[in-house]
Amino acid sequence: MKVLVVGGTGLLGGHAAIHLREHGFEVSLASRSAPQAPILREFPFFTLDYIQDGPDVAMLEGFDALLFCAGHDIRHIDRDSPADKQWHQNNTVAIPRFFAAARDAGIRRAVMLGSFYPQAAPALIDTNPYVLSRHLSDEGVRALSSPTFEVMSVNAPFMIGHVPGLPNAMFEAYTRYAQGRMPGVPVFGPKGGTHFMSTRSLSEALHQALINGVPGKAYLVGDENIRFADLFGLFFEAVGNPQEVPELDQEHPLLPDSALFTGRGNYLCYEADDSLGYRRNDVRAAVAELVQHYL
């Protein structure tokens, strides 16, 4: 199967691309910028901006399947214009438009990697414009599903993992923090928690969605409900500096309140849909593996 992974130069798309290639898929990557990680430079690559360029049907011809791991979040916002308008244009409008182009190019199967928030915390749809845009983009792409264009979404929580050679400033900072190399930041976790999943488990879920997923379905995937303090504790353990990490009701500089859409002090917990057959209980192992790249 020939698969195009849009957003394939990032952590989640890149990890999925490597996994699919290992399982016999013929994989190409597409993104706005060329791959940084050496292992991702081994793939055929196409420069593509699904927002600015608009749908390019010709570029999509010849592929059997699409794995879409792009979409806009808080990291991509232009501070000079309203965020809600950007999320509407870049998620709600542009993503279904791109999937329609994939359909017109003859792609038969498509999977969108989306966010867990609309399914796990649906009240946010009415109060958070980012979550609303993720909800509407999910509904928009699945509405395109037909007998000749089978579409589904895999909606993931907070992710833990790495791609060899791909920098990740957040996980590098967490590793330094756990080593005691940030003396100005006290040891604690902000009150609250959420659902976490390893990139390995996610790649397995995306793989199974491409070949066995039910058209039109939105899969709420995940692995473990973890307090933020306990997540930091996993990093302290992984670097050989195990200690109790207290939970405090105050903002943490490495996990600021702006990143907690459900609000500090809340616990977004759910039981994941693991009908796609991916591994569970993998978060601790994922932390132990990723910190080795920053020690």
Side-chain angles (χ1 to χ4, degrees):
M1 182 185 289
K2 294 185 66 175
V3 180
L4 178 65
V5 181
V6 176
T9 62
L11 173 61
L12 305 185
H15 194 284
I18 295 167
H19 175 88
L20 291 174
R21 184 175 66 175
E22 290 174 347
H23 286 79
F25 290 76
E26 186 178 342
V27 182
S28 297
L29 310 183
S31 185
R32 290 180 297 173
S33 55
Q36 289 182 286
I39 192 171
L40 298 180
R41 295 190 196 120
E42 299 171 2
F43 291 84
F45 172 75
F46 303 89
T47 301
L48 183 150
D49 186 336
Y50 77 92
I51 297 167
Q52 299 299 327
D53 297 341
D56 187 344
V57 173
M59 180 180 291
L60 302 176
E61 291 175 350
F63 291 100
D64 304 304
L66 166 68
L67 175 56
F68 188 89
C69 299
H72 271 226
D73 58 34
I74 196 169
R75 297 168 299 172
H76 308 113
I77 287 299
D78 179 355
R79 303 298 178 183
D80 294 329
S81 61
D84 57 345
K85 292 183 178 179
Q86 294 178 63
W87 282 324
H88 172 76
Q89 182 60 41
N90 300 341
N91 290 335
T92 305
V93 175
I95 295 177
R97 183 180 64 195
F98 185 80
F99 272 71
R103 175 199 59 197
D104 296 343
I107 288 177
R108 298 296 301 265
R109 227 169 141 78
V111 174
M112 183 183 79
L113 173 59
S115 168
F116 72 139
Y117 284 116
Q119 286 179 280
L124 291 176
I125 295 172
D126 295 328
T127 61
N128 186 294
Y130 168 71
V131 177
L132 173 63
S133 74
R134 283 297 199 177
H135 168 66
L136 293 176
S137 62
D138 186 306
E139 286 196 331
V141 300
R142 289 187 293 112
L144 297 171
S145 191
S146 72
T148 58
F149 184 57
E150 299 177 333
V151 184
M152 65 225 69
S153 62
V154 174
N155 297 318
F158 278 49
M159 299 302 307
I160 303 291
H162 74 284
V163 168
L166 182 66
N168 187 300
M170 181 179 72
F171 291 142
E172 182 177 8
Y174 285 9
T175 302
R176 292 175 55 227
Y177 177 53
Q179 290 177 298
R181 295 168 58 197
M182 290 187 173
V185 182
V187 175
F188 77 98
K191 186 177 181 180
T194 192
H195 207 89
F196 290 86
M197 186 182 195
S198 74
T199 51
R200 180 166 41 227
S201 294
L202 178 62
S203 291
E204 292 172 352
L206 294 170
H207 175 193
Q208 291 303 313
L210 278 172
I211 59 175
N212 295 318
V214 177
K217 183 170 181 176
Y219 290 91
L220 177 60
V221 299
D223 190 0
E224 301 178 61
N225 298 305
I226 303 176
R227 297 189 314 156
F228 297 124
D230 293 335
L231 176 73
F232 283 130
L234 292 179
F235 278 84
F236 280 85
E237 174 186 296
V239 302
N241 183 25
Q243 58 185 281
E244 183 71 23
V245 178
E247 182 181 63
L248 301 179
D249 191 8
Q250 63 187 61
E251 187 169 20
H252 196 290
L254 299 184
L255 192 56
D257 289 354
S258 61
L260 308 178
F261 285 175
T262 54
R264 175 163 31 99
N266 294 313
Y267 302 85
L268 177 50
C269 301
Y270 63 89
E271 180 52 46
D273 178 353
D274 58 5
S275 61
L276 290 170
Y278 54 89
R279 75 186 68 195
R280 299 291 298 267
N281 301 308
D282 196 46
V283 174
R284 173 177 267 102
V287 172
E289 292 174 14
L290 79 84
V291 300
Q292 298 303 313
H293 295 269
Y294 303 111
L295 293 178

mmCIF file of all heavy atoms in Angstrom, residues 3 8 25 27 57 63 69 89 91 97 127-128 137 148 153 157 168 188 192 197 213 228 247 267 275 293:
data_model
loop_
_atom_site.group_PDB
_atom_site.id
_atom_site.type_symbol
_atom_site.label_atom_id
_atom_site.label_comp_id
_atom_site.label_asym_id
_atom_site.label_seq_id
_atom_site.Cartn_x
_atom_site.Cartn_y
_atom_site.Cartn_z
ATOM 1 N N VAL A 3 1.307 4.971 0.903
ATOM 2 C CA VAL A 3 0.699 5.865 1.883
ATOM 3 C C VAL A 3 1.423 7.205 1.881
ATOM 4 O O VAL A 3 2.662 7.251 1.904
ATOM 5 C CB VAL A 3 0.761 5.263 3.307
ATOM 6 C CG1 VAL A 3 0.121 6.206 4.319
ATOM 7 C CG2 VAL A 3 0.087 3.903 3.344
ATOM 8 N N GLY A 8 4.440 14.386 8.173
ATOM 9 C CA GLY A 8 5.319 13.257 8.457
ATOM 10 C C GLY A 8 6.705 13.614 8.932
ATOM 11 O O GLY A 8 7.496 12.705 9.216
ATOM 12 N N PHE A 25 4.717 -1.012 4.256
ATOM 13 C CA PHE A 25 4.061 0.038 3.489
ATOM 14 C C PHE A 25 5.095 0.832 2.685
ATOM 15 O O PHE A 25 6.238 0.995 3.115
ATOM 16 C CB PHE A 25 3.304 0.992 4.412
ATOM 17 C CG PHE A 25 2.086 0.400 5.053
ATOM 18 C CD1 PHE A 25 2.192 -0.479 6.124
ATOM 19 C CD2 PHE A 25 0.820 0.731 4.598
ATOM 20 C CE1 PHE A 25 1.070 -1.024 6.726
ATOM 21 C CE2 PHE A 25 -0.315 0.193 5.199
ATOM 22 C CZ PHE A 25 -0.187 -0.691 6.256
ATOM 23 N N VAL A 27 5.958 4.341 1.914
ATOM 24 C CA VAL A 27 5.587 5.577 2.594
ATOM 25 C C VAL A 27 6.311 6.777 2.013
ATOM 26 O O VAL A 27 7.528 6.739 1.791
ATOM 27 C CB VAL A 27 5.900 5.481 4.106
ATOM 28 C CG1 VAL A 27 5.479 6.754 4.824
ATOM 29 C CG2 VAL A 27 5.218 4.258 4.718
ATOM 30 N N VAL A 57 -4.505 18.279 -6.186
ATOM 31 C CA VAL A 57 -4.960 16.947 -6.536
ATOM 32 C C VAL A 57 -3.862 16.169 -7.244
ATOM 33 O O VAL A 57 -3.648 14.978 -6.978
ATOM 34 C CB VAL A 57 -6.234 17.018 -7.400
ATOM 35 C CG1 VAL A 57 -6.623 15.642 -7.922
ATOM 36 C CG2 VAL A 57 -7.382 17.630 -6.590
ATOM 37 N N PHE A 63 -1.453 7.578 -4.773
ATOM 38 C CA PHE A 63 -1.408 7.026 -3.422
ATOM 39 C C PHE A 63 -2.688 6.250 -3.137
ATOM 40 O O PHE A 63 -3.784 6.632 -3.567
ATOM 41 C CB PHE A 63 -1.238 8.130 -2.381
ATOM 42 C CG PHE A 63 0.111 8.789 -2.420
ATOM 43 C CD1 PHE A 63 0.286 10.011 -3.049
ATOM 44 C CD2 PHE A 63 1.208 8.171 -1.842
ATOM 45 C CE1 PHE A 63 1.537 10.621 -3.086
ATOM 46 C CE2 PHE A 63 2.459 8.764 -1.875
ATOM 47 C CZ PHE A 63 2.623 9.994 -2.509
ATOM 48 N N CYS A 69 -1.438 13.833 9.722
ATOM 49 C CA CYS A 69 -0.940 14.095 11.076
ATOM 50 C C CYS A 69 -0.561 15.562 11.239
ATOM 51 O O CYS A 69 0.372 15.896 11.969
ATOM 52 C CB CYS A 69 0.262 13.203 11.384
ATOM 53 S SG CYS A 69 -0.076 11.439 11.334
ATOM 54 N N GLN A 89 -9.995 28.738 10.164
ATOM 55 C CA GLN A 89 -9.529 28.616 8.786
ATOM 56 C C GLN A 89 -8.608 27.407 8.605
ATOM 57 O O GLN A 89 -8.727 26.662 7.624
ATOM 58 C CB GLN A 89 -8.786 29.894 8.369
ATOM 59 C CG GLN A 89 -8.300 29.885 6.923
ATOM 60 C CD GLN A 89 -9.427 29.728 5.928
ATOM 61 O OE1 GLN A 89 -10.503 30.326 6.093
ATOM 62 N NE2 GLN A 89 -9.224 28.915 4.899
ATOM 63 N N ASN A 91 -8.090 24.671 10.588
ATOM 64 C CA ASN A 91 -8.591 23.344 10.966
ATOM 65 C C ASN A 91 -9.978 23.074 10.383
ATOM 66 O O ASN A 91 -10.156 22.157 9.580
ATOM 67 C CB ASN A 91 -8.633 23.189 12.493
ATOM 68 C CG ASN A 91 -7.250 23.112 13.116
ATOM 69 O OD1 ASN A 91 -6.285 22.713 12.469
ATOM 70 N ND2 ASN A 91 -7.134 23.486 14.369
ATOM 71 N N ARG A 97 -11.271 20.321 3.413
ATOM 72 C CA ARG A 97 -10.993 20.671 2.018
ATOM 73 C C ARG A 97 -9.862 19.825 1.463
ATOM 74 O O ARG A 97 -9.915 19.339 0.325
ATOM 75 C CB ARG A 97 -10.649 22.158 1.927
ATOM 76 C CG ARG A 97 -10.409 22.677 0.512
ATOM 77 C CD ARG A 97 -10.087 24.152 0.556
ATOM 78 N NE ARG A 97 -8.834 24.405 1.272
ATOM 79 C CZ ARG A 97 -8.458 25.606 1.715
ATOM 80 N NH1 ARG A 97 -9.258 26.651 1.553
ATOM 81 N NH2 ARG A 97 -7.314 25.754 2.349
ATOM 82 N N THR A 127 -16.789 26.274 24.598
ATOM 83 C CA THR A 127 -16.059 27.324 25.307
ATOM 84 C C THR A 127 -14.653 27.569 24.778
ATOM 85 O O THR A 127 -14.072 28.610 25.079
ATOM 86 C CB THR A 127 -15.956 26.986 26.808
ATOM 87 O OG1 THR A 127 -15.242 25.749 26.965
ATOM 88 C CG2 THR A 127 -17.341 26.840 27.428
ATOM 89 N N ASN A 128 -14.103 26.649 24.011
ATOM 90 C CA ASN A 128 -12.723 26.760 23.561
ATOM 91 C C ASN A 128 -12.674 26.697 22.036
ATOM 92 O O ASN A 128 -13.004 25.664 21.443
ATOM 93 C CB ASN A 128 -11.888 25.633 24.169
ATOM 94 C CG ASN A 128 -10.403 25.765 23.872
ATOM 95 O OD1 ASN A 128 -9.982 25.664 22.734
ATOM 96 N ND2 ASN A 128 -9.608 25.994 24.907
ATOM 97 N N SER A 137 -13.478 19.916 12.360
ATOM 98 C CA SER A 137 -12.641 19.287 11.331
ATOM 99 C C SER A 137 -12.826 17.781 11.341
ATOM 100 O O SER A 137 -12.874 17.134 10.283
ATOM 101 C CB SER A 137 -11.168 19.655 11.523
ATOM 102 O OG SER A 137 -10.665 19.193 12.761
ATOM 103 N N THR A 148 -16.280 4.493 -1.703
ATOM 104 C CA THR A 148 -15.052 4.636 -2.502
ATOM 105 C C THR A 148 -13.989 5.499 -1.832
ATOM 106 O O THR A 148 -12.882 5.646 -2.349
ATOM 107 C CB THR A 148 -15.387 5.236 -3.877
ATOM 108 O OG1 THR A 148 -16.026 6.510 -3.698
ATOM 109 C CG2 THR A 148 -16.287 4.300 -4.665
ATOM 110 N N SER A 153 -11.222 8.844 11.945
ATOM 111 C CA SER A 153 -10.292 9.640 12.738
ATOM 112 C C SER A 153 -9.804 8.834 13.921
ATOM 113 O O SER A 153 -10.521 7.986 14.458
ATOM 114 C CB SER A 153 -10.937 10.946 13.214
ATOM 115 O OG SER A 153 -12.050 10.688 14.052
ATOM 116 N N PRO A 157 -4.545 11.585 22.993
ATOM 117 C CA PRO A 157 -4.338 12.474 24.141
ATOM 118 C C PRO A 157 -2.925 13.056 24.136
ATOM 119 O O PRO A 157 -2.277 13.151 23.084
ATOM 120 C CB PRO A 157 -4.550 11.515 25.316
ATOM 121 C CG PRO A 157 -3.980 10.218 24.818
ATOM 122 C CD PRO A 157 -4.312 10.164 23.351
ATOM 123 N N ASN A 168 13.274 17.692 20.493
ATOM 124 C CA ASN A 168 12.005 17.979 21.148
ATOM 125 C C ASN A 168 12.326 18.796 22.396
ATOM 126 O O ASN A 168 12.807 18.259 23.403
ATOM 127 C CB ASN A 168 11.269 16.690 21.516
ATOM 128 C CG ASN A 168 9.868 16.949 22.047
ATOM 129 O OD1 ASN A 168 9.679 17.626 23.049
ATOM 130 N ND2 ASN A 168 8.867 16.423 21.356
ATOM 131 N N PHE A 188 7.860 19.778 41.762
ATOM 132 C CA PHE A 188 6.433 19.578 42.019
ATOM 133 C C PHE A 188 5.734 19.369 40.681
ATOM 134 O O PHE A 188 6.305 19.585 39.610
ATOM 135 C CB PHE A 188 5.813 20.776 42.762
ATOM 136 C CG PHE A 188 5.535 21.989 41.892
ATOM 137 C CD1 PHE A 188 4.254 22.215 41.376
ATOM 138 C CD2 PHE A 188 6.540 22.894 41.586
ATOM 139 C CE1 PHE A 188 3.995 23.331 40.588
ATOM 140 C CE2 PHE A 188 6.290 24.010 40.800
ATOM 141 C CZ PHE A 188 5.007 24.226 40.300
ATOM 142 N N GLY A 192 -3.719 18.254 39.109
ATOM 143 C CA GLY A 192 -4.502 17.819 37.964
ATOM 144 C C GLY A 192 -3.818 16.691 37.226
ATOM 145 O O GLY A 192 -2.744 16.208 37.618
ATOM 146 N N MET A 197 -0.356 8.681 26.320
ATOM 147 C CA MET A 197 -0.174 7.554 25.403
ATOM 148 C C MET A 197 1.217 7.646 24.801
ATOM 149 O O MET A 197 1.741 8.748 24.587
ATOM 150 C CB MET A 197 -1.235 7.627 24.303
ATOM 151 C CG MET A 197 -1.278 6.467 23.342
ATOM 152 S SD MET A 197 -2.567 6.748 22.079
ATOM 153 C CE MET A 197 -2.720 5.094 21.395
ATOM 154 N N GLY A 213 -9.698 -0.116 10.163
ATOM 155 C CA GLY A 213 -10.609 0.822 10.809
ATOM 156 C C GLY A 213 -11.969 0.880 10.135
ATOM 157 O O GLY A 213 -12.092 0.693 8.916
ATOM 158 N N PHE A 228 -0.229 14.884 36.681
ATOM 159 C CA PHE A 228 0.951 15.576 36.160
ATOM 160 C C PHE A 228 2.152 15.373 37.071
ATOM 161 O O PHE A 228 3.287 15.234 36.600
ATOM 162 C CB PHE A 228 0.653 17.063 35.966
ATOM 163 C CG PHE A 228 -0.418 17.344 34.952
ATOM 164 C CD1 PHE A 228 -1.532 18.094 35.293
ATOM 165 C CD2 PHE A 228 -0.325 16.840 33.664
ATOM 166 C CE1 PHE A 228 -2.533 18.355 34.363
ATOM 167 C CE2 PHE A 228 -1.314 17.091 32.724
ATOM 168 C CZ PHE A 228 -2.423 17.860 33.077
ATOM 169 N N GLU A 247 2.224 17.202 44.507
ATOM 170 C CA GLU A 247 1.228 17.861 43.674
ATOM 171 C C GLU A 247 0.832 19.166 44.346
ATOM 172 O O GLU A 247 0.355 19.170 45.485
ATOM 173 C CB GLU A 247 0.013 16.957 43.499
ATOM 174 C CG GLU A 247 -1.065 17.541 42.604
ATOM 175 C CD GLU A 247 -2.265 16.614 42.484
ATOM 176 O OE1 GLU A 247 -2.915 16.366 43.530
ATOM 177 O OE2 GLU A 247 -2.553 16.148 41.383
ATOM 178 N N TYR A 267 -8.934 16.741 36.397
ATOM 179 C CA TYR A 267 -8.401 15.450 35.953
ATOM 180 C C TYR A 267 -9.260 14.945 34.799
ATOM 181 O O TYR A 267 -10.420 14.572 35.000
ATOM 182 C CB TYR A 267 -8.402 14.436 37.103
ATOM 183 C CG TYR A 267 -7.609 14.896 38.301
ATOM 184 C CD1 TYR A 267 -8.192 15.719 39.265
ATOM 185 C CD2 TYR A 267 -6.275 14.543 38.442
ATOM 186 C CE1 TYR A 267 -7.469 16.163 40.353
ATOM 187 C CE2 TYR A 267 -5.537 14.987 39.539
ATOM 188 C CZ TYR A 267 -6.138 15.794 40.483
ATOM 189 O OH TYR A 267 -5.413 16.244 41.568
ATOM 190 N N SER A 275 -10.008 -0.901 20.585
ATOM 191 C CA SER A 275 -10.474 -1.912 19.639
ATOM 192 C C SER A 275 -9.568 -2.037 18.422
ATOM 193 O O SER A 275 -9.655 -3.033 17.686
ATOM 194 C CB SER A 275 -11.908 -1.604 19.194
ATOM 195 O OG SER A 275 -11.984 -0.343 18.545
ATOM 196 N N HIS A 293 18.022 9.993 24.953
ATOM 197 C CA HIS A 293 18.478 10.856 23.874
ATOM 198 C C HIS A 293 18.940 12.233 24.384
ATOM 199 O O HIS A 293 19.500 13.019 23.620
ATOM 200 C CB HIS A 293 17.363 11.032 22.841
ATOM 201 C CG HIS A 293 17.010 9.763 22.141
ATOM 202 N ND1 HIS A 293 17.608 9.377 20.968
ATOM 203 C CD2 HIS A 293 16.168 8.767 22.488
ATOM 204 C CE1 HIS A 293 17.127 8.207 20.593
ATOM 205 N NE2 HIS A 293 16.245 7.803 21.487
#
